[in-house]
Amino acid sequence: MKALYLDIFSGLSGDMFLGAMLDLGVEFRLLEQELGRLRLGGYRLHAGRGEKCGIAGTKFDVHLTAGHGHDHDHGDHSHSHSHSHGPGDEDHSHEGSRNFAQIKTLIYQSQLSDWVKQKAVAVFQRVANAEGKIHGMPPEQVHFHEVGAVDSIVDIVGACIALEMLGRPRVLAAGVVEGTGFVMCAHGRFPIPAPATLEILAERGVAVTQCDEPHELLTPTGAALLAEFVESFGPLRDLKPVKIGYGLGTRNNLTRPNVVRAVLCEATASGSLSAHDWETDTIAVLETNLDDVSGEVLGFFVEKALVSGALDVFHTPIQMKKNRPGVLLTVLCAEADADKFSELLLRETSAFGVRRTSAERRKLRREFVTVKTPFGEVQVKLGKLDGKVVQTAPEFESCRALAEKSGVPIKTVYEAAERAAQS
């Protein structure tokens, strides 16, 4: 089983990630060719050999061309963070900007593979969620100025293409390190980590440690790539290095080389990588025993917790002390949200305490496809293990709409969709 370990001792940006992927063996010409499937103009790519503090690696750059009046080297971590805008930011509605909804349409209408489309949109979703929260606006409306939009699209889509070219390895990473100091935002200096970077890490529940480098090390794009792809953060353990690549940044740092080291690995006989290609993550499990709560309160809490972003909420009948019947109320949530839902449990139920544990999950790799049935097209979620489909789940809303339109039982549409997905 192959894995990609990102040694992010000097942070990460989109161009550094792509430089490392090229240094590992991803062919520049094929990457450029695949990016051409986006039909996104106004830029040219460049990759070349270079070195930072005596470490040789690959420097990847995007240069804006026609209609922009200058080349734009986006490899410097000192970008202004003004590429995505909310209410009050200057000129975010001009002709050369794209919002997240438009970028998503651009990606989905391209000829890229379904996996690249899905992952690229998921990474962009993380950035848009963060920017939307900061600016107080829906993620779909977050605007990316043309410079930031082109850079972000190339970096994010290019990163997904590169991972597919490497065979979609499992991605692991060292602990996240960020610098100190300030970055320039739309309305002045803001302390590092930049607002969007910190929001992205918080949403995924990723720990971050600041070091003595007086510059930004981790960009929002770098944070979004880590949040979407990395299964776990920590030191190398029981992994055999097969190939090593270095992606170079632009700045000359004061305390460490401005590089990311990418290590293509395979598990040893006693290694920590599973023989299967399932995805893993860690979630928080919150529990409390209740013997004096009404059904109405339980129902209200379940609805409120799910609306607030819980992964799942359920209650189980149990026998409590003094032979009292009760319920075990359980909330599954992201680790970063554990305190929020603990507070909700204490405020909205009769609980006097909440137990919290962490649980590792094993998840099938998921893909979404559209299948044709005699009643129309249905969206189906596929669950794959080791490259083979082991679960099919037609989307309820698609099936319900077709059942109502065709006047047939919804289970008939479900069965037709499952047969189409398996054929």
Side-chain angles (χ1 to χ4, degrees), residues 227-238:
E228 180 62 29
F229 288 109
V230 175
E231 295 182 9
S232 62
F233 296 85
L236 280 163
R237 186 173 66 183
D238 294 324

Side-chain angles (χ1 to χ4, degrees), residues 1 170 231 273-279 365 385-386:
M1 180 65 195
R170 296 177 64 182
E231 295 182 9
L273 285 181
S274 167
H276 302 292
D277 69 348
W278 50 44
E279 297 175 350
R365 292 180 177 267
L385 182 63
D386 302 331

Side-chain angles (χ1 to χ4, degrees), residues 11 261 309:
R261 178 167 62 181

Side-chain angles (χ1 to χ4, degrees), residues 372-390:
K372 293 182 178 180
T373 74
F375 313 101
E377 293 186 341
V378 177
Q379 279 255 313
V380 177
K381 179 168 62 177
L382 304 180
K384 291 186 174 182
L385 182 63
D386 302 331
K388 296 181 179 179
V389 175
V390 295

Side-chain angles (χ1 to χ4, degrees), residues 6-13 16-17 77 175-179 211 216-219 222-223 226 247 253 256-261:
L6 300 174
D7 202 352
I8 47 177
F9 64 96
S10 193
L12 185 69
S13 61
M16 290 171 69
F17 181 89
H77 277 183
V176 176
V177 176
E178 177 60 296
C211 67
E216 178 190 36
L217 297 178
L218 182 64
T219 67
L226 294 176
N253 288 340
R256 61 199 65 211
N258 192 6
V259 306
V260 60
R261 178 167 62 181

Side-chain angles (χ1 to χ4, degrees), residues 281-288 311-312 314 328-339 341-342 345 354-361:
D281 65 0
T282 302
I283 61 170
V285 181
L286 309 178
E287 296 179 329
T288 187
L311 300 174
D312 202 358
F314 52 92
L328 171 64
L329 180 57
T330 305
V331 176
L332 307 183
C333 65
E335 289 189 302
D337 293 334
D339 284 346
F341 286 107
S342 294
L345 277 162
V354 177
R355 298 184 298 278
R356 172 182 172 178
T357 57
S358 295
E360 289 188 1
R361 293 196 298 179

